[in-house]
Amino acid sequence: MAATQIPEVVLESSNGRRTMPVLGFGTAADNFQPEVFIAAVLEAIKLGYRHFDTAAEYGSEQSLGEAIAQALKLGLVGSRDDLFVTSKLWPNDAHPHLVIPALKKIASVSLAISNLQLEYLDLYLIHWPISAPPGKLMHSIAEKDLMPMDFKGVWADMEEAQRLGLTKSIGVSNFSSKKIEDLLSFATIPPSVDQVEMSPYWQQKKLRDFCKANGIVVTAFSPLGAIGTRCGTNSILESKVLKEIAEARGKTVAQVCIRWVYQVGATLAVKSYNKERLKQNAQVFDWELSQEDLDKISQIPPHKLVLREEYVSANGPYKSLEDLWDGEL
Ligand code: NAP
């Protein structure tokens, strides 16, 4: 089977004109197993995936670096430049002067330096609008450790990382329109991307409109409701409305979700380590949802999966969920 051609979008404020494949391979998994992961990345590259979404938090950076090295050795891609790698800054490193060391620590970057003679990420995102004490990566941040981020100082370091060529583009994740607006008031390089929860169940219309007006690309995470994972839900893939649309079009509900995100103008990170589902998820670019389908989907009652109550505390920077999400709830 010929590999799928995945469309690309332009990232406006990159170092040089950069494009990003709209469909990214999500790497976050419960019980991460390096061998299974590396095999899935190689399979994905054969199927036409070129964008890989990792993060310090997922523990997948090093294995991604290894998979890329193997893909190059096997000749599955001509060069590192043919791939697009996104990673993210975790709150422990979200302090001025720690951003660049964090970026240099990323295994896929350092592997690139030693193995590929290249030393850059394509996109580096602030993972959450919160900081935690510097030091070892804390997956769950204790209430007493929640710290306000020095947005100006951290963003200045992100900009420096882009200027130094350590990353071609910079952006944010889990930022509301208001938090981006605040960032834009002092940024000299605007964020290229905001990566947020988005699916037919959490449509992000306000944020999408805001980002479009400001030349920022929205990337959807958990577009399938993170089904089958510890924090996921099966209500999206079992939605009656989505099932009806999928049946009428001869597609799966997952394909309808992915196509919907793409058709409303956003990009995605979707996780599958399964060859058949990877193939299925990429087969969404040669057909369309009708206006009637889009209207039906727009009527689905909203349900947010990722709230992060643990980032809310009377003594922390966010006193309520309203504060954390600036009302985009
Ligand atoms: P997701 O992509 O919505 O769902 C992943 C789950 O769906 C996996 O259990 C996968 O299982 C299953 N799946 C994939 N394709 C399927 C299909 N065609 N039919 C049925 N099931 C299917 O959720 P996610 O992993 O939370 O989000 C995707 C990526 O976004 C992550 O991997 C990560 O890279 C990123 N992310 C970012 C943030 C952030 O804060 N920035 C937060 C969450 C996630 P199999 O592997 O068995 O196929």
Side-chain angles (χ1 to χ4, degrees):
M1 190 196 105
T4 305
Q5 270 295 334
I6 295 177
E8 307 212 331
V9 282
V10 172
L11 301 183
E12 298 275 350
S13 26
S14 299
N15 202 344
R17 186 191 154 94
R18 293 288 296 180
T19 56
M20 176 175 88
V22 299
L23 177 62
F25 174 110
T27 69
D30 299 342
N31 308 318
F32 183 81
Q33 293 172 286
E35 325 73 60
V36 175
F37 171 78
I38 290 172
V41 170
L42 296 178
E43 211 48 71
I45 292 176
K46 287 183 202 157
L47 290 167
Y49 287 78
R50 293 292 178 268
H51 178 182
F52 296 87
D53 182 79
T54 181
E57 191 210 6
Y58 309 156
S60 56
E61 286 173 333
Q62 183 168 352
S63 300
L64 181 59
E66 284 168 26
I68 290 173
Q70 283 193 30
L72 281 155
K73 209 162 150 199
L74 292 167
L76 300 181
V77 280
S79 82
R80 156 71 180 90
D81 290 352
D82 297 339
L83 301 173
F84 189 103
V85 179
T86 298
S87 194
K88 312 187 191 87
L89 178 78
W90 191 244
N92 297 112
D93 286 321
H95 300 274
H97 314 302
L98 289 185
V99 175
I100 289 170
L103 191 42
K104 285 186 171 163
K105 218 162 49 188
I106 294 174
S108 52
V109 177
S110 49
L111 241 182
I113 292 167
S114 55
N115 289 357
L116 315 175
Q117 308 304 315
L118 287 168
E119 44 185 286
Y120 66 91
L121 277 186
D122 294 279
L123 177 63
Y124 198 43
L125 306 176
I126 298 179
H127 206 146
W128 282 92
I130 195 153
S131 293
K136 207 165 163 273
L137 187 146
M138 297 172 183
H139 287 277
S140 52
I141 304 166
E143 199 181 335
K144 67 171 177 42
D145 290 330
L146 298 170
M147 298 170 68
M149 184 184 294
D150 171 353
F151 287 102
K152 269 192 184 171
V154 170
W155 192 251
D157 264 24
M158 295 287 284
E159 290 176 339
E160 184 61 8
Q162 179 169 319
R163 281 192 203 100
L164 290 171
L166 291 167
T167 181
K168 299 287 181 196
S169 304
I170 49 177
V172 294
S173 175
N174 298 298
F175 272 45
S176 64
S177 315
K178 177 172 183 310
K179 286 189 178 59
I180 298 180
E181 202 167 18
D182 292 346
L183 189 67
L184 291 175
S185 71
F186 53 77
T188 58
I189 303 175
S192 289
V193 166
D194 188 12
Q195 184 180 115
V196 291
E197 177 184 353
M198 179 176 159
S199 72
Y201 270 45
W202 193 250
Q203 300 191 5
Q204 298 277 20
K205 176 86 176 78
K206 181 178 171 205
L207 183 76
R208 279 191 277 129
D209 290 346
F210 174 84
C211 285
K212 191 172 177 197
N214 288 281
I216 298 167
V217 170
V218 171
T219 298
F221 72 68
S222 305
L224 311 179
I227 187 166
T229 73
R230 211 166 1 100
C231 321
T233 174
N234 48 12
S235 55
I236 298 182
L237 294 197
E238 283 177 9
S239 148
K240 190 166 167 282
V241 176
L242 296 176
K243 271 187 175 168
E244 281 169 9
I245 294 172
E247 265 163 39
R249 305 234 151 261
K251 304 293 172 190
T252 66
V253 175
Q255 288 174 314
V256 169
C257 291
I258 295 168
R259 177 72 208 183
W260 174 82
V261 171
Y262 174 61
Q263 217 168 308
V264 298
T267 63
L268 325 87
V270 186
K271 181 262 170 183
S272 181
Y273 292 175
N274 172 280
K275 183 178 169 180
E276 285 313 309
R277 289 190 283 281
L278 278 167
K279 196 192 287 180
Q280 182 195 122
N281 295 348
Q283 286 171 346
V284 292
F285 300 111
D286 57 355
W287 56 277
E288 279 183 8
L289 294 166
S290 66
Q291 189 54 50
E292 199 188 335
D293 296 335
L294 296 174
D295 291 343
K296 280 187 196 159
I297 294 173
S298 71
Q299 300 303 315
I300 294 176
H303 175 78
K304 186 160 173 47
L305 195 64
V306 180
L307 284 170
R308 285 289 162 126
E309 281 106 338
E310 61 271 37
Y311 292 171
V312 169
S313 153
N315 301 316
Y318 302 115
K319 313 288 180 218
S320 65
L321 285 173
E322 284 285 312
D323 271 359
L324 176 60
W325 298 105
D326 299 304
E328 284 170 21
L329 278 168

PDB file of all heavy atoms in Angstrom, residues 139-165:
ATOM      1  N   HIS A 139       5.581  14.021  38.069  1.00  0.00           N
ATOM      2  CA  HIS A 139       4.399  13.790  37.233  1.00  0.00           C
ATOM      3  C   HIS A 139       3.183  14.444  37.859  1.00  0.00           C
ATOM      4  O   HIS A 139       2.437  15.160  37.222  1.00  0.00           O
ATOM      5  CB  HIS A 139       4.150  12.297  37.025  1.00  0.00           C
ATOM      6  CG  HIS A 139       5.145  11.705  36.101  1.00  0.00           C
ATOM      7  ND1 HIS A 139       5.003  11.778  34.741  1.00  0.00           N
ATOM      8  CD2 HIS A 139       6.304  11.058  36.336  1.00  0.00           C
ATOM      9  CE1 HIS A 139       6.044  11.195  34.168  1.00  0.00           C
ATOM     10  NE2 HIS A 139       6.841  10.751  35.115  1.00  0.00           N
ATOM     11  N   SER A 140       2.982  14.159  39.172  1.00  0.00           N
ATOM     12  CA  SER A 140       1.882  14.865  39.833  1.00  0.00           C
ATOM     13  C   SER A 140       2.517  15.885  40.778  1.00  0.00           C
ATOM     14  O   SER A 140       3.435  15.560  41.538  1.00  0.00           O
ATOM     15  CB  SER A 140       0.977  13.883  40.570  1.00  0.00           C
ATOM     16  OG  SER A 140       1.755  13.080  41.395  1.00  0.00           O
ATOM     17  N   ILE A 141       2.055  17.098  40.666  1.00  0.00           N
ATOM     18  CA  ILE A 141       2.645  18.200  41.429  1.00  0.00           C
ATOM     19  C   ILE A 141       1.828  18.384  42.711  1.00  0.00           C
ATOM     20  O   ILE A 141       0.608  18.570  42.648  1.00  0.00           O
ATOM     21  CB  ILE A 141       2.657  19.484  40.573  1.00  0.00           C
ATOM     22  CG1 ILE A 141       3.400  19.214  39.255  1.00  0.00           C
ATOM     23  CG2 ILE A 141       3.276  20.650  41.328  1.00  0.00           C
ATOM     24  CD1 ILE A 141       3.200  20.277  38.198  1.00  0.00           C
ATOM     25  N   ALA A 142       2.504  18.290  43.861  1.00  0.00           N
ATOM     26  CA  ALA A 142       1.792  18.426  45.140  1.00  0.00           C
ATOM     27  C   ALA A 142       1.251  19.856  45.270  1.00  0.00           C
ATOM     28  O   ALA A 142       1.842  20.795  44.718  1.00  0.00           O
ATOM     29  CB  ALA A 142       2.752  18.130  46.284  1.00  0.00           C
ATOM     30  N   GLU A 143       0.163  19.989  45.996  1.00  0.00           N
ATOM     31  CA  GLU A 143      -0.499  21.285  46.137  1.00  0.00           C
ATOM     32  C   GLU A 143       0.491  22.365  46.602  1.00  0.00           C
ATOM     33  O   GLU A 143       0.521  23.463  46.066  1.00  0.00           O
ATOM     34  CB  GLU A 143      -1.645  21.130  47.143  1.00  0.00           C
ATOM     35  CG  GLU A 143      -2.652  22.239  47.032  1.00  0.00           C
ATOM     36  CD  GLU A 143      -3.772  22.078  48.046  1.00  0.00           C
ATOM     37  OE1 GLU A 143      -4.043  20.944  48.479  1.00  0.00           O
ATOM     38  OE2 GLU A 143      -4.356  23.121  48.397  1.00  0.00           O
ATOM     39  N   LYS A 144       1.353  21.989  47.547  1.00  0.00           N
ATOM     40  CA  LYS A 144       2.290  22.980  48.100  1.00  0.00           C
ATOM     41  C   LYS A 144       3.347  23.403  47.068  1.00  0.00           C
ATOM     42  O   LYS A 144       4.018  24.411  47.246  1.00  0.00           O
ATOM     43  CB  LYS A 144       2.966  22.435  49.365  1.00  0.00           C
ATOM     44  CG  LYS A 144       3.895  21.268  49.105  1.00  0.00           C
ATOM     45  CD  LYS A 144       4.700  20.893  50.335  1.00  0.00           C
ATOM     46  CE  LYS A 144       5.601  19.687  50.133  1.00  0.00           C
ATOM     47  NZ  LYS A 144       6.340  19.541  48.920  1.00  0.00           N
ATOM     48  N   ASP A 145       3.506  22.604  46.005  1.00  0.00           N
ATOM     49  CA  ASP A 145       4.533  22.898  44.998  1.00  0.00           C
ATOM     50  C   ASP A 145       4.012  23.680  43.794  1.00  0.00           C
ATOM     51  O   ASP A 145       4.780  23.966  42.865  1.00  0.00           O
ATOM     52  CB  ASP A 145       5.162  21.583  44.509  1.00  0.00           C
ATOM     53  CG  ASP A 145       6.026  20.936  45.576  1.00  0.00           C
ATOM     54  OD1 ASP A 145       6.593  21.681  46.402  1.00  0.00           O
ATOM     55  OD2 ASP A 145       6.120  19.695  45.593  1.00  0.00           O
ATOM     56  N   LEU A 146       2.730  24.004  43.780  1.00  0.00           N
ATOM     57  CA  LEU A 146       2.192  24.747  42.631  1.00  0.00           C
ATOM     58  C   LEU A 146       2.731  26.177  42.669  1.00  0.00           C
ATOM     59  O   LEU A 146       2.595  26.863  43.684  1.00  0.00           O
ATOM     60  CB  LEU A 146       0.654  24.784  42.692  1.00  0.00           C
ATOM     61  CG  LEU A 146      -0.042  23.421  42.614  1.00  0.00           C
ATOM     62  CD1 LEU A 146      -1.524  23.560  42.932  1.00  0.00           C
ATOM     63  CD2 LEU A 146       0.151  22.800  41.219  1.00  0.00           C
ATOM     64  N   MET A 147       3.370  26.591  41.584  1.00  0.00           N
ATOM     65  CA  MET A 147       3.986  27.929  41.561  1.00  0.00           C
ATOM     66  C   MET A 147       3.488  28.708  40.346  1.00  0.00           C
ATOM     67  O   MET A 147       3.290  28.131  39.284  1.00  0.00           O
ATOM     68  CB  MET A 147       5.513  27.797  41.414  1.00  0.00           C
ATOM     69  CG  MET A 147       6.195  27.075  42.540  1.00  0.00           C
ATOM     70  SD  MET A 147       7.926  26.724  42.100  1.00  0.00           S
ATOM     71  CE  MET A 147       8.612  28.377  42.062  1.00  0.00           C
ATOM     72  N   PRO A 148       3.340  30.035  40.506  1.00  0.00           N
ATOM     73  CA  PRO A 148       2.977  30.822  39.321  1.00  0.00           C
ATOM     74  C   PRO A 148       4.140  30.817  38.335  1.00  0.00           C
ATOM     75  O   PRO A 148       5.300  30.818  38.753  1.00  0.00           O
ATOM     76  CB  PRO A 148       2.757  32.235  39.884  1.00  0.00           C
ATOM     77  CG  PRO A 148       3.466  32.260  41.187  1.00  0.00           C
ATOM     78  CD  PRO A 148       3.549  30.849  41.698  1.00  0.00           C
ATOM     79  N   MET A 149       3.837  30.790  37.063  1.00  0.00           N
ATOM     80  CA  MET A 149       4.915  30.830  36.074  1.00  0.00           C
ATOM     81  C   MET A 149       5.334  32.279  35.834  1.00  0.00           C
ATOM     82  O   MET A 149       4.479  33.165  35.762  1.00  0.00           O
ATOM     83  CB  MET A 149       4.454  30.205  34.754  1.00  0.00           C
ATOM     84  CG  MET A 149       5.579  30.131  33.729  1.00  0.00           C
ATOM     85  SD  MET A 149       5.061  29.516  32.129  1.00  0.00           S
ATOM     86  CE  MET A 149       4.640  27.848  32.536  1.00  0.00           C
ATOM     87  N   ASP A 150       6.612  32.485  35.671  1.00  0.00           N
ATOM     88  CA  ASP A 150       7.116  33.784  35.215  1.00  0.00           C
ATOM     89  C   ASP A 150       6.995  33.749  33.680  1.00  0.00           C
ATOM     90  O   ASP A 150       7.921  33.361  32.975  1.00  0.00           O
ATOM     91  CB  ASP A 150       8.570  33.933  35.671  1.00  0.00           C
ATOM     92  CG  ASP A 150       9.250  35.152  35.062  1.00  0.00           C
ATOM     93  OD1 ASP A 150       8.654  35.814  34.196  1.00  0.00           O
ATOM     94  OD2 ASP A 150      10.404  35.411  35.455  1.00  0.00           O
ATOM     95  N   PHE A 151       5.804  34.107  33.208  1.00  0.00           N
ATOM     96  CA  PHE A 151       5.531  33.942  31.775  1.00  0.00           C
ATOM     97  C   PHE A 151       6.528  34.714  30.914  1.00  0.00           C
ATOM     98  O   PHE A 151       6.994  34.215  29.900  1.00  0.00           O
ATOM     99  CB  PHE A 151       4.102  34.382  31.448  1.00  0.00           C
ATOM    100  CG  PHE A 151       3.051  33.405  31.927  1.00  0.00           C
ATOM    101  CD1 PHE A 151       2.323  33.659  33.078  1.00  0.00           C
ATOM    102  CD2 PHE A 151       2.795  32.238  31.229  1.00  0.00           C
ATOM    103  CE1 PHE A 151       1.351  32.763  33.525  1.00  0.00           C
ATOM    104  CE2 PHE A 151       1.834  31.327  31.661  1.00  0.00           C
ATOM    105  CZ  PHE A 151       1.126  31.596  32.814  1.00  0.00           C
ATOM    106  N   LYS A 152       6.835  35.961  31.371  1.00  0.00           N
ATOM    107  CA  LYS A 152       7.755  36.787  30.559  1.00  0.00           C
ATOM    108  C   LYS A 152       9.128  36.147  30.472  1.00  0.00           C
ATOM    109  O   LYS A 152       9.717  36.045  29.395  1.00  0.00           O
ATOM    110  CB  LYS A 152       7.909  38.179  31.194  1.00  0.00           C
ATOM    111  CG  LYS A 152       6.920  39.174  30.676  1.00  0.00           C
ATOM    112  CD  LYS A 152       7.336  40.572  31.120  1.00  0.00           C
ATOM    113  CE  LYS A 152       6.283  41.550  30.666  1.00  0.00           C
ATOM    114  NZ  LYS A 152       6.443  42.877  31.201  1.00  0.00           N
ATOM    115  N   GLY A 153       9.654  35.724  31.628  1.00  0.00           N
ATOM    116  CA  GLY A 153      11.003  35.149  31.668  1.00  0.00           C
ATOM    117  C   GLY A 153      11.074  33.834  30.908  1.00  0.00           C
ATOM    118  O   GLY A 153      12.037  33.579  30.169  1.00  0.00           O
ATOM    119  N   VAL A 154      10.059  32.986  31.086  1.00  0.00           N
ATOM    120  CA  VAL A 154      10.066  31.676  30.416  1.00  0.00           C
ATOM    121  C   VAL A 154       9.922  31.867  28.908  1.00  0.00           C
ATOM    122  O   VAL A 154      10.635  31.240  28.111  1.00  0.00           O
ATOM    123  CB  VAL A 154       8.952  30.759  30.989  1.00  0.00           C
ATOM    124  CG1 VAL A 154       8.779  29.504  30.143  1.00  0.00           C
ATOM    125  CG2 VAL A 154       9.273  30.377  32.438  1.00  0.00           C
ATOM    126  N   TRP A 155       9.030  32.770  28.523  1.00  0.00           N
ATOM    127  CA  TRP A 155       8.833  32.966  27.079  1.00  0.00           C
ATOM    128  C   TRP A 155      10.087  33.565  26.431  1.00  0.00           C
ATOM    129  O   TRP A 155      10.456  33.203  25.307  1.00  0.00           O
ATOM    130  CB  TRP A 155       7.584  33.818  26.788  1.00  0.00           C
ATOM    131  CG  TRP A 155       7.247  33.743  25.328  1.00  0.00           C
ATOM    132  CD1 TRP A 155       7.385  34.718  24.389  1.00  0.00           C
ATOM    133  CD2 TRP A 155       6.765  32.583  24.609  1.00  0.00           C
ATOM    134  NE1 TRP A 155       7.024  34.254  23.150  1.00  0.00           N
ATOM    135  CE2 TRP A 155       6.638  32.938  23.259  1.00  0.00           C
ATOM    136  CE3 TRP A 155       6.444  31.275  25.001  1.00  0.00           C
ATOM    137  CZ2 TRP A 155       6.194  32.051  22.284  1.00  0.00           C
ATOM    138  CZ3 TRP A 155       6.000  30.384  24.021  1.00  0.00           C
ATOM    139  CH2 TRP A 155       5.870  30.776  22.681  1.00  0.00           C
ATOM    140  N   ALA A 156      10.775  34.454  27.157  1.00  0.00           N
ATOM    141  CA  ALA A 156      12.019  35.024  26.607  1.00  0.00           C
ATOM    142  C   ALA A 156      13.024  33.901  26.335  1.00  0.00           C
ATOM    143  O   ALA A 156      13.720  33.906  25.320  1.00  0.00           O
ATOM    144  CB  ALA A 156      12.613  36.049  27.579  1.00  0.00           C
ATOM    145  N   ASP A 157      13.083  32.908  27.226  1.00  0.00           N
ATOM    146  CA  ASP A 157      13.974  31.762  27.010  1.00  0.00           C
ATOM    147  C   ASP A 157      13.511  30.904  25.825  1.00  0.00           C
ATOM    148  O   ASP A 157      14.336  30.362  25.083  1.00  0.00           O
ATOM    149  CB  ASP A 157      13.998  30.873  28.260  1.00  0.00           C
ATOM    150  CG  ASP A 157      15.175  31.196  29.170  1.00  0.00           C
ATOM    151  OD1 ASP A 157      15.676  32.332  29.094  1.00  0.00           O
ATOM    152  OD2 ASP A 157      15.577  30.307  29.939  1.00  0.00           O
ATOM    153  N   MET A 158      12.211  30.740  25.702  1.00  0.00           N
ATOM    154  CA  MET A 158      11.675  29.981  24.555  1.00  0.00           C
ATOM    155  C   MET A 158      12.088  30.697  23.261  1.00  0.00           C
ATOM    156  O   MET A 158      12.517  30.054  22.291  1.00  0.00           O
ATOM    157  CB  MET A 158      10.141  29.890  24.635  1.00  0.00           C
ATOM    158  CG  MET A 158       9.601  29.104  25.806  1.00  0.00           C
ATOM    159  SD  MET A 158       9.805  27.307  25.681  1.00  0.00           S
ATOM    160  CE  MET A 158       8.537  26.874  24.494  1.00  0.00           C
ATOM    161  N   GLU A 159      11.955  32.020  23.257  1.00  0.00           N
ATOM    162  CA  GLU A 159      12.341  32.795  22.065  1.00  0.00           C
ATOM    163  C   GLU A 159      13.836  32.622  21.777  1.00  0.00           C
ATOM    164  O   GLU A 159      14.243  32.468  20.623  1.00  0.00           O
ATOM    165  CB  GLU A 159      12.002  34.273  22.277  1.00  0.00           C
ATOM    166  CG  GLU A 159      10.496  34.518  22.286  1.00  0.00           C
ATOM    167  CD  GLU A 159      10.139  35.962  22.591  1.00  0.00           C
ATOM    168  OE1 GLU A 159      10.976  36.690  23.174  1.00  0.00           O
ATOM    169  OE2 GLU A 159       9.003  36.364  22.251  1.00  0.00           O
ATOM    170  N   GLU A 160      14.623  32.635  22.840  1.00  0.00           N
ATOM    171  CA  GLU A 160      16.074  32.465  22.677  1.00  0.00           C
ATOM    172  C   GLU A 160      16.375  31.083  22.067  1.00  0.00           C
ATOM    173  O   GLU A 160      17.227  30.959  21.195  1.00  0.00           O
ATOM    174  CB  GLU A 160      16.748  32.638  24.054  1.00  0.00           C
ATOM    175  CG  GLU A 160      18.254  32.582  24.051  1.00  0.00           C
ATOM    176  CD  GLU A 160      18.935  33.661  23.203  1.00  0.00           C
ATOM    177  OE1 GLU A 160      18.253  34.579  22.701  1.00  0.00           O
ATOM    178  OE2 GLU A 160      20.168  33.552  23.009  1.00  0.00           O
ATOM    179  N   ALA A 161      15.637  30.073  22.543  1.00  0.00           N
ATOM    180  CA  ALA A 161      15.835  28.712  22.012  1.00  0.00           C
ATOM    181  C   ALA A 161      15.554  28.691  20.510  1.00  0.00           C
ATOM    182  O   ALA A 161      16.271  28.041  19.740  1.00  0.00           O
ATOM    183  CB  ALA A 161      14.925  27.728  22.741  1.00  0.00           C
ATOM    184  N   GLN A 162      14.516  29.412  20.092  1.00  0.00           N
ATOM    185  CA  GLN A 162      14.211  29.470  18.649  1.00  0.00           C
ATOM    186  C   GLN A 162      15.322  30.222  17.905  1.00  0.00           C
ATOM    187  O   GLN A 162      15.780  29.788  16.855  1.00  0.00           O
ATOM    188  CB  GLN A 162      12.839  30.111  18.399  1.00  0.00           C
ATOM    189  CG  GLN A 162      12.530  30.200  16.909  1.00  0.00           C
ATOM    190  CD  GLN A 162      11.090  30.566  16.584  1.00  0.00           C
ATOM    191  OE1 GLN A 162      10.142  30.090  17.213  1.00  0.00           O
ATOM    192  NE2 GLN A 162      10.909  31.436  15.598  1.00  0.00           N
ATOM    193  N   ARG A 163      15.752  31.339  18.485  1.00  0.00           N
ATOM    194  CA  ARG A 163      16.821  32.118  17.830  1.00  0.00           C
ATOM    195  C   ARG A 163      18.103  31.301  17.694  1.00  0.00           C
ATOM    196  O   ARG A 163      18.805  31.380  16.689  1.00  0.00           O
ATOM    197  CB  ARG A 163      17.114  33.398  18.625  1.00  0.00           C
ATOM    198  CG  ARG A 163      16.104  34.472  18.366  1.00  0.00           C
ATOM    199  CD  ARG A 163      16.545  35.828  18.908  1.00  0.00           C
ATOM    200  NE  ARG A 163      15.352  36.627  19.110  1.00  0.00           N
ATOM    201  CZ  ARG A 163      14.752  36.821  20.269  1.00  0.00           C
ATOM    202  NH1 ARG A 163      15.251  36.318  21.383  1.00  0.00           N
ATOM    203  NH2 ARG A 163      13.635  37.521  20.344  1.00  0.00           N
ATOM    204  N   LEU A 164      18.387  30.494  18.722  1.00  0.00           N
ATOM    205  CA  LEU A 164      19.607  29.672  18.688  1.00  0.00           C
ATOM    206  C   LEU A 164      19.485  28.487  17.730  1.00  0.00           C
ATOM    207  O   LEU A 164      20.446  27.776  17.491  1.00  0.00           O
ATOM    208  CB  LEU A 164      19.927  29.128  20.092  1.00  0.00           C
ATOM    209  CG  LEU A 164      20.407  30.145  21.133  1.00  0.00           C
ATOM    210  CD1 LEU A 164      20.465  29.507  22.524  1.00  0.00           C
ATOM    211  CD2 LEU A 164      21.780  30.690  20.742  1.00  0.00           C
ATOM    212  N   GLY A 165      18.273  28.245  17.243  1.00  0.00           N
ATOM    213  CA  GLY A 165      18.069  27.129  16.311  1.00  0.00           C
ATOM    214  C   GLY A 165      17.901  25.795  17.017  1.00  0.00           C
ATOM    215  O   GLY A 165      17.908  24.746  16.370  1.00  0.00           O
TER     216      GLY A 165
END
